[in-house]
């Protein structure tokens, strides 16, 4: 009897430990998601009238909206430009600062500094870099006799300019995870490889990179989320322009919800974003988990 009471006491103790996290998840994750899904099935009320249930009509309207497809295309290009580039740079920087490099503490700080800058501050710094007349980049181009470029005003280069700034901001953050993983590897692996005469390139691809796969999987998921949740520096730099050339999905949600006051359409876009993120994350786990060594 006492053992049963002790078992129940331990179960209650575990439930109480989990309760704060469960409350936070329900309040700030599951409940808003359910509310957004429900709102996407209605059209807003006018003059105090009850809102009308329309089912999937909002989704049909979304799929026939050319502006949505342009924004989705922009976000796809943005993700293809930022995710692999940021991860490759982060891995390269981690390998560099993990080596016996003179002044590597300063190098680590230099790499990580963009990460600790608030996004608003970083956007204002890059606005100075991209300014058409007095910007740093156009001043450097004028030195070599090249005409200045309207980095944020030309639809052909505006999105690329946003991508460059985002890579600069994110690579240092991802570097920290790779550096922690590299420092957690057993030094005996490198010593054994040196005894066998293994080249650095072969050691990286056959030993280091496979052992970094859990970190790579984690970084990939975070990079995917970062590629979608872009709002603040678009608000400062371009506001989605010119002609929607830099408008991305979450900023499009913000526009519909707070500029056009179409909350149901914004909810519909949000549900689509969540479904796409869940699908891509599932595919990543399904494909990469087979090649991931957790121990």
């Amino acid at each position: 009897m006492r053992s049963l009471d002790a078992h129940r006491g331990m179960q209650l103790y575990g439930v109480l430990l989990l309760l704060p996290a469960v409350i936070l998840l329900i309040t700030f994750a599951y409940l808003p998601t359910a509310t957004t899904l429900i709102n996407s099935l209605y059209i807003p009320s006018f003059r105090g009238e009850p809102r009308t249930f329309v089912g999937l009509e909002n989704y049909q309207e979304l799929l026939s909206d050319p502006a949505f497809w342009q924004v989705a295309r922009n976000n796809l290009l943005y993700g293809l430009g930022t995710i692999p580039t940021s991860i490759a740079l982060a891995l390269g920087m981690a390998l560099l600062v993990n080596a016996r490099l003179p002044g590597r503490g300063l190098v680590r700080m230099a790499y990580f500094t963009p990460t600790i800058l608030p996004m608003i501050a970083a956007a204002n710094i890059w606005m100075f870099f991209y300014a058409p007349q007095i910007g740093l980049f156009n001043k450097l181009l004028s030195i070599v006799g090249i005409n200045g470029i309207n980095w944020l005003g030309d639809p052909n280069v505006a999105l690329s300019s946003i991508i460059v700034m985002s890579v600069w901001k994110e690579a240092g953050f991802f570097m920290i995870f790779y550096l922690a993983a590299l420092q957690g590897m057993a030094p005996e692996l490198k010593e054994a490889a040196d005894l066998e005469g293994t080249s650095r390139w072969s050691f990286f691809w056959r030993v280091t990179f496979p052992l970094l796969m859990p970190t790579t999987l984690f970084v990939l998921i975070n990079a995917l989320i970062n590629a979608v949740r872009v709002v603040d520096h678009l608000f400062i730099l371009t506001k989605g322009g010119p002609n929607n050339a830099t408008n991305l999905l979450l900023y499009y949600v913000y526009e519909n919800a707070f500029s056009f006051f179409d909350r149901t359409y914004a909810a519909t876009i949000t549900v689509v974003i969540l479904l796409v993120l869940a699908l891509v994350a599932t595919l990543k786990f399904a494909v990469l988990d087979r090649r991931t060594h957790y121990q």
Side-chain angles (χ1 to χ4, degrees), residues 100-261:
R100 295 181 179 178
L101 183 71
R104 62 179 177 177
L106 293 176
V107 177
R108 290 178 183 177
M109 182 182 67
Y111 286 160
F112 191 67
T113 297
T115 301
I116 62 177
L117 288 176
M119 184 57 80
I120 301 299
N124 279 283
I125 292 172
W126 280 81
M127 182 179 287
F128 165 72
F129 292 163
Y130 287 141
Q133 303 298 330
I134 61 171
L136 176 63
F137 292 158
N138 282 343
K139 288 291 185 182
L140 294 175
L141 290 177
S142 65
I143 294 175
V144 295
I146 301 176
N147 293 329
I149 300 172
N150 191 355
W151 300 97
L152 299 176
D154 186 348
N156 296 319
V157 298
L159 185 61
S160 299
S161 302
I162 300 295
I163 289 173
V164 169
M165 194 208 78
S166 299
V167 170
W168 171 83
K169 186 79 170 62
E170 292 181 358
F173 176 67
F174 297 148
M175 178 203 71
I176 296 300
F177 298 105
Y178 277 119
L179 182 60
L182 287 171
Q183 292 182 343
M185 289 184 182
E188 292 82 3
L189 296 173
K190 186 68 172 66
E191 294 173 0
D194 290 339
L195 289 175
E196 294 291 335
T198 306
S199 65
R200 291 185 178 181
W201 186 252
S202 180
F203 178 77
F204 172 77
W205 281 112
R206 294 180 179 273
V207 179
T208 303
F209 191 69
L211 292 176
L212 289 176
M213 284 303 295
T215 304
T216 302
L217 182 61
F218 173 78
V219 169
L220 269 174
I221 299 299
N222 279 272
L224 173 64
I225 295 172
N226 289 345
V228 176
R229 63 179 187 88
V230 181
V231 173
D232 32 18
H233 56 283
L234 287 183
F235 186 84
I236 295 296
L237 293 173
T238 63
K239 290 184 170 55
N243 195 24
N244 274 339
T246 60
N247 204 348
L248 303 179
L249 285 170
L250 200 59
Y251 189 81
Y252 193 50
V253 172
Y254 165 80
E255 278 188 328
N256 280 278
F258 300 106
S259 296
F260 309 145
F261 300 102

Side-chain angles (χ1 to χ4, degrees), residues 1 11 16 19 25 39 44 52 58 74 120 130-131 140 143 158 177-178 207 216 226 256 268 290:
M1 188 67 179
Q11 287 182 330
L16 291 176
L19 189 60
L25 278 174
N39 289 337
T52 305
N58 288 325
N74 291 343
I120 301 299
Y130 287 141
L140 294 175
I143 294 175
F177 298 105
Y178 277 119
V207 179
T216 302
N226 289 345
N256 280 278
T268 305
R290 299 176 182 177

Side-chain angles (χ1 to χ4, degrees), residues 36 39-40 44 256-258 260-268 270:
T36 301
N39 289 337
S40 69
N256 280 278
F258 300 106
F260 309 145
F261 300 102
D262 192 348
R263 303 292 177 85
T264 58
Y265 197 62
T268 305
T270 303

